[in-house]
């Protein structure tokens, strides 16, 4: 009858519920156990489960957050770059409501797109403190980029000074991430595009070409002087 069926079913369901607390953690993972929204056991050490089989209290008592601590994550940051706007054709002026940009130290406008790579350095902080860790990462790198770009000249960041610029952005971003207890360790930042806005790109390239031409003429003049002055002195 139905009562007898329930007598068999309830124990089976109870055993199944209890077994749902068995957790197998992979070799590249760390699991953080949250109990009613707090660290299970009250400490970071007790809440972390490493590779192997573990038992936790079934849901909704415990929540297990699995984190791949050996994986290098990537996030694209294009908020400081042109989004293209709503029209397929570029406008004559830059629209700051639709297009991102940064000001350099010599008051030039550039647009920069980046890819950030990171590891989860502190699983507990990453799981406990950050509702959206990648959004925190993006906003932190953008703030560091704006500050660092404001300290350099456009010619430097577009050429030989780019590597130093990236190093400073990483250092500043990591300091802010550490202060926020984000659990994020920056591995690298790659600048995938760094150019003037399309509205002034042709003019900018003409200025750059004129500057290079001037430098070439100065170098040639110095070379001629080094050859002719000794001849004049000897005469």
């Amino acid at each position: 009858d139905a009562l007898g069926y329930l007598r068999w079913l309830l124990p089976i369901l109870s055993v199944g519920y209890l077994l749902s607390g068995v957790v197998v953690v992979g070799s590249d993972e760390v699991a953080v156990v949250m109990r009613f929204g707090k660290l299970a056991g009250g400490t970071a050490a007790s809440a972390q489960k490493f590779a192997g089989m573990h038992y936790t209290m079934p849901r909704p008592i415990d929540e297990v957050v699995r984190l791949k601590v050996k994986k290098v994550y990537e996030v694209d940051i294009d908020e400081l770059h042109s989004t293209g706007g709503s029209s397929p054709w570029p406008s004559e002026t830059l629209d700051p409501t639709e297009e991102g940009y940064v000001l350099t130290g010599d008051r030039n406008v550039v647009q920069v797109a980046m890819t950030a790579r990171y590891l989860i350095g502190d699983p507990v902080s990453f799981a406990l403190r950050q509702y959206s860790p990648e959004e925190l990462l993006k906003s932190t790198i953008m703030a560091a980029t704006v500050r660092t770009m404001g300290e350099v000249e456009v010619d430097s960041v577009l050429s030989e000074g780019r590597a130093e610029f990236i190093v400073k952005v990483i250092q500043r971003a990591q300091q802010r991430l550490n202060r926020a207890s984000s659990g994020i360790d920056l591995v690298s930042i790659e600048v995938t595009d760094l150019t003037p806005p399309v509205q002034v790109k042709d003019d900018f390239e003409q200025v750059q070409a004129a500057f290079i031409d001037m430098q070439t003429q100065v170098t040639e003049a110095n070379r001629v002087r080094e050859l002719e002055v000794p001849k004049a002195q000897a005469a």
Side-chain angles (χ1 to χ4, degrees):
D1 57 1
L3 184 59
Y5 177 76
L6 289 175
R7 287 176 179 174
W8 283 101
L9 181 61
L10 289 177
I12 293 174
L13 292 176
S14 298
V15 171
Y17 174 70
L18 293 174
L19 289 177
S20 68
V22 176
V23 176
V24 178
V25 181
S27 59
D28 62 338
E29 294 179 324
V30 170
V32 180
V33 183
M34 310 292 293
R35 182 163 296 162
F36 298 120
K38 298 181 179 180
L39 293 177
T43 66
S46 62
Q48 294 183 84
K49 305 298 180 183
F50 299 95
M53 183 178 293
H54 306 273
Y55 184 78
T56 64
M57 296 299 294
R59 281 179 171 272
I61 301 173
D62 285 354
E63 177 187 1
V64 179
V65 181
R66 297 173 178 272
L67 300 170
K68 292 188 177 294
V69 294
K70 296 182 180 180
K71 176 182 177 181
V72 178
Y73 295 85
E74 287 190 2
V75 56
D76 294 327
I77 305 169
D78 56 9
E79 284 81 357
L80 299 176
H81 197 270
S82 173
T83 61
S86 57
S87 172
W89 298 281
S91 61
E92 295 183 357
T93 60
L94 186 147
D95 184 351
T97 64
E98 293 189 341
E99 299 179 80
Y101 66 93
V102 191
L103 289 176
T104 64
D106 52 355
R107 299 183 180 179
N108 280 282
V109 177
V110 294
Q111 295 179 315
V112 55
M114 298 172 285
T115 297
R117 298 178 179 88
Y118 69 93
L119 290 165
I120 299 175
D122 184 343
V124 172
S125 294
F126 190 90
L128 183 64
R129 303 183 187 280
Q130 306 305 329
Y131 175 73
S132 183
E134 287 199 348
E135 289 303 315
L136 171 67
L137 177 64
K138 291 174 69 171
S139 63
T140 299
I141 291 177
M142 288 168 57
T145 299
V146 170
R147 179 181 174 186
T148 306
M149 191 72 77
E151 299 173 349
V152 299
E153 295 183 354
V154 65
D155 290 334
S156 173
V157 76
L158 288 175
S159 56
E160 73 279 353
R162 182 177 299 192
E164 182 180 355
F165 164 77
I166 294 173
V167 169
K168 287 184 178 180
V169 171
I170 291 175
Q171 290 174 343
R172 283 175 168 162
Q174 187 63 64
Q175 289 173 358
R176 294 187 64 175
L177 290 169
N178 292 344
R179 288 196 296 267
S181 299
S182 66
I184 294 174
D185 288 343
L186 273 173
V187 175
S188 66
I189 293 177
E190 177 187 356
V191 175
T192 55
D193 193 24
L194 178 58
T195 59
V198 65
Q199 292 87 351
V200 298
K201 189 172 182 179
D202 291 341
D203 294 334
F204 184 87
E205 289 177 350
Q206 292 178 15
V207 172
Q208 288 290 95
F211 177 78
I212 293 172
D213 185 57
M214 181 190 70
Q215 290 292 95
T216 302
Q217 293 182 25
V218 169
T219 301
E220 179 63 18
N222 288 333
R223 187 186 69 82
V224 172
R225 183 186 64 179
E226 292 173 356
L227 292 174
E228 297 301 326
V229 169
K231 293 180 181 179
Q233 291 175 342

